[in-house]
Amino acid sequence: MKFIVFAALYAVALAAPQYNYAAPADSSEEVRERVVVHRDDSGERVAILKDERVMEEDGRFNVEFEAENGIHFAKAGSPEAETGAVIQAGQYSYTAPDGTEVLVKFVANENGYQPQSDLLPVAPEFPHPIPQFVLDQIAFAASEDARRARDDSREAPATSYGAPQ
């Protein structure tokens, strides 16, 4: 039992937020000295050049983040008056491993997350040609529906279970 309590306390201590960073200064020399440094997947040190977060009392917010390796993220949001849902808009950019510059702009609202980028796949334009087997299946389903509408011999479903036979 003592081990379980110790393990739980240890897990809580590990999960506590770590506030060990300083805000960047105005000049680039001071920024390099006071900036937070993280390691990326390759193990390289990456300096955080900008990390600004503004939260207003009415629920509006702005977030902007920039790293030394070219990652940039900006987002702003505000609560909707009727539902209280937060409507957000922003963009992020980075350099893909193949050297391609990636820019994604997005809106998140009552219609869901809606990203926009030249690199995202796009559905084919409609109307596109419908294959014949699809047209045949639609015609078959329509004839089945018409047959069921004419057929009065359908019994209503039972309202109770009977004894097994």
Side-chain angles (χ1 to χ4, degrees):
M1 180 67 177
K2 291 180 183 179
F3 177 74
I4 294 173
V5 172
F6 176 75
L9 288 174
Y10 183 72
V12 169
L14 284 177
Q18 304 295 318
Y19 301 108
N20 59 348
Y21 65 90
D26 289 338
S27 72
S28 60
E29 281 300 315
E30 291 178 16
V31 168
R32 296 244 181 248
E33 293 175 10
R34 298 179 54 206
V35 77
V36 180
V37 176
H38 292 279
R39 295 193 184 276
D40 66 5
D41 292 338
S42 68
E44 292 183 39
R45 296 170 62 95
V46 178
I48 307 302
L49 303 177
K50 184 184 233 182
D51 188 357
E52 296 179 1
R53 302 160 192 249
V54 178
M55 180 74 171
E56 302 292 338
E57 290 183 21
D58 62 358
R60 292 179 293 135
F61 69 90
N62 290 306
V63 176
E64 190 167 0
F65 168 86
E66 186 175 357
E68 184 178 42
N69 61 358
I71 295 174
H72 184 263
F73 175 81
K75 176 171 69 170
S78 63
E80 185 180 81
E82 294 176 14
T83 64
V86 178
I87 298 174
Q88 303 178 25
Q91 67 181 27
Y92 58 90
S93 62
Y94 61 94
T95 304
D98 65 359
T100 306
E101 291 294 323
V102 177
L103 172 64
V104 178
K105 296 181 180 184
F106 64 88
V107 174
N109 57 21
E110 65 275 359
N111 297 322
Y113 178 71
Q114 304 157 48
Q116 295 178 353
S117 174
D118 294 338
L119 299 176
L120 293 175
V122 178
E125 291 187 30
F126 197 82
H128 57 283
I130 299 174
Q132 185 58 44
F133 74 91
V134 174
L135 297 172
D136 294 343
Q137 184 64 38
I138 292 170
F140 177 75
S143 67
E144 287 283 304
D145 290 343
R147 185 182 57 78
R148 281 195 195 122
R150 288 190 313 264
D151 188 8
D152 292 332
S153 65
R154 290 182 59 187
E155 294 181 20
T159 57
S160 64
Y161 293 105
Q165 298 177 3

